Amino acid sequence: MTATLAKRLQQQQQFIRHSRPAVSGQLVRVVGLTLEATGCSAGIGQSCAVETADGELLAEVVGFAADRIFLMPKDDISGVVPGARVTPVLHEQGVPLCMALLGRVVDGAGKPLDGKGPIVASTFASPRKAPINPLQRQPIRMPLDVGVRAINAALTVGKGQRMGLFAGSGVGKSVLLGMMTRGTSADVIVVGLVGERGREVKEFIDDILGEEGRQRAVVVASPADVSPVMRLKGCETAVQIAEYFRDQGLDVLLLVDSITRYAQAQREIALAVGEPPATKGYPPSVFAKLPALVERAGNGAAGKGSITGFYTVLSEGDDLQDPIADASRAILDGHIVLSRQLADSGHFPAIDIEQSISRVMPAVTSMEHQLMARQLKQLYASYRQSKDLIAIGAYVKGSDPLLDKAVALMPAIQRFLQQGMKDVVPYDESLHALTQLLPLPAQAQTQSPG
């Protein structure tokens, strides 16, 4: 009886909240992209319609001070006039959630961008979804095939893992994401293109993703020329869509390019409303939003699917100690580093396996696989550290058995780590190629990982 009464009370409160009239306020100040209004009551995250010379402009409440609310526009603010009427939007439809999203391209609000008509759905995303109880999440126990030999063999990813893809500009991160969309064994791919150039959005969809990849993919595009609010929403919409497919019991591959642009959008909003900057210009709210976003991926409860997330992190000036790169590395389950030096030498994908690691690999692979992957990394690192000595002929063969083996195997190792953009190498084939490259000695098969 108590539960029934509580439910009825909640329904009554919702009815009162949604049926009350919207009290309009007045626009009193515009500074940059920040709108200030008085006279209307709206909560953080709620949308308001701002009267303009051409009609209406939607803006989102991002803060308040005393009787003033601060809004950030979702579109261009041209046509806004002093004293314009500001009205809270009480009935705002969320992002549509349905299987018809597959093969579609939408913006940060879930509206179609591909000209294929509206998306008809009976379920819409809630603006606030409670986080999953960590004790209800299923453990990561199964590997996920991403179709890339270097990752499958040396940096194995588990279903429900969250990985960072650390790269500077122009080293092939978008191409690597496209390779994974074509080669993954996941049921659904959700791609969030946040803050990228508009030209790159179309190129990724047409050239990198391709027609075959689009059949089981949903692309959420919020390019660099949209407002900070829509860049934030683009990332969050991609996660909401991925959560929907996970709740249907499907395995989802979530690709977010890039989480750095997400952080920069939050920085623009926070600084505009007066939040003080902290680490290299990033306010504290940025470092609170990053884990809140990343933690929404992963395995669901029993009977649900999984979200395996790849989040690209732009290392400014190839600096892996950049604040966003450092914060992301701490909250993710591993990181893949793309090397500019390898990319400049024509080595693609430019994955530096020496600096990369998958933290859940021991939980999803056999002991033999782990020992071979460790041996591969040791040989690769040994050669890289002595490369200059070898190049000038200063290294004397026989002084280091490990380096001798690395020198002999390096051409084969480089061929193993490279892969064509259109090539797909399944997980089993990747493991077989690793076994052929580095046969595990019989006595090593009984060694412990420590």
Side-chain angles (χ1 to χ4, degrees), residues 52-300:
T52 69
D54 304 319
E56 284 187 341
L57 164 73
L58 281 180
E60 183 173 305
V61 179
V62 294
F64 61 85
D67 62 339
R68 293 193 177 195
I69 62 172
F70 303 137
L71 304 107
M72 192 69 67
K74 296 182 179 181
D75 300 306
D76 184 44
I77 63 172
S78 61
V80 174
V81 296
R85 184 173 58 187
V86 180
T87 307
V89 178
L90 300 181
H91 306 284
E92 187 175 16
Q93 196 174 67
V95 177
L97 300 176
C98 60
M99 299 302 291
L101 282 167
L102 293 175
R104 301 301 300 271
V105 182
V106 299
D107 64 7
K111 298 177 182 177
L113 293 174
D114 50 14
K116 295 182 179 180
I119 299 172
V120 180
S122 58
T123 304
F124 297 88
S126 170
R128 299 171 186 84
K129 185 173 182 178
I132 299 176
N133 185 329
L135 298 182
Q136 294 180 350
R137 287 186 183 270
Q138 296 300 299
I140 300 174
R141 290 290 182 264
M142 296 294 295
L144 178 71
D145 184 3
V146 296
V148 180
R149 184 168 48 235
I151 298 177
N152 283 341
L155 305 165
T156 309
V157 176
K159 290 182 181 179
Q161 185 174 358
R162 287 78 57 90
M163 288 285 282
L165 192 60
F166 290 72
S169 57
V171 295
K173 65 180 185 303
S174 296
V175 174
L176 180 57
L177 293 179
M179 292 171 66
M180 288 192 284
T181 60
R182 286 189 295 270
T184 183
S185 60
D187 302 312
V188 175
I189 302 118
V190 179
V191 183
L193 300 176
V194 180
E196 297 299 315
R197 292 181 286 270
R199 172 186 60 80
E200 290 184 335
V201 173
K202 183 168 179 58
E203 286 181 359
F204 183 90
I205 294 170
D206 293 343
D207 302 334
I208 298 177
L209 187 59
E211 190 61 34
E212 183 180 351
R214 286 185 63 178
Q215 299 305 313
R216 55 173 176 156
V218 184
V219 178
V220 181
S222 292
D225 59 344
V226 301
S227 70
V229 167
M230 293 309 293
R231 275 178 269 147
L232 273 184
K233 286 193 173 298
C235 204
E236 293 166 357
T237 295
V239 175
Q240 288 175 329
I241 293 173
E243 288 176 325
Y244 166 77
F245 287 111
R246 177 182 62 189
D247 292 344
Q248 309 307 308
L250 301 174
D251 291 325
V252 182
L253 178 64
L254 171 65
L255 306 175
V256 176
D257 185 17
S258 70
I259 199 172
T260 304
R261 305 296 189 200
Y262 175 82
Q264 290 172 347
Q266 174 59 24
R267 177 175 64 180
E268 291 179 42
I269 294 172
L271 294 179
V273 298
E275 187 178 350
T279 308
K280 290 190 177 180
Y282 286 97
S285 62
V286 171
F287 302 100
K289 273 188 168 293
L290 286 178
L293 179 78
V294 170
E295 282 297 319
R296 292 172 63 179
N299 287 336

Side-chain angles (χ1 to χ4, degrees), residues 16 21 44 55 81 105 117 356:
I16 293 172
I44 298 292
V81 296
V105 182
S356 306

Side-chain angles (χ1 to χ4, degrees), residues 363-381:
V364 299
T365 57
S366 66
M367 181 61 64
E368 291 78 11
H369 185 174
Q370 295 169 43
L371 291 173
M372 286 188 291
R374 186 182 309 163
Q375 186 182 7
L376 176 64
K377 295 187 73 170
Q378 288 172 344
L379 292 170
Y380 185 83

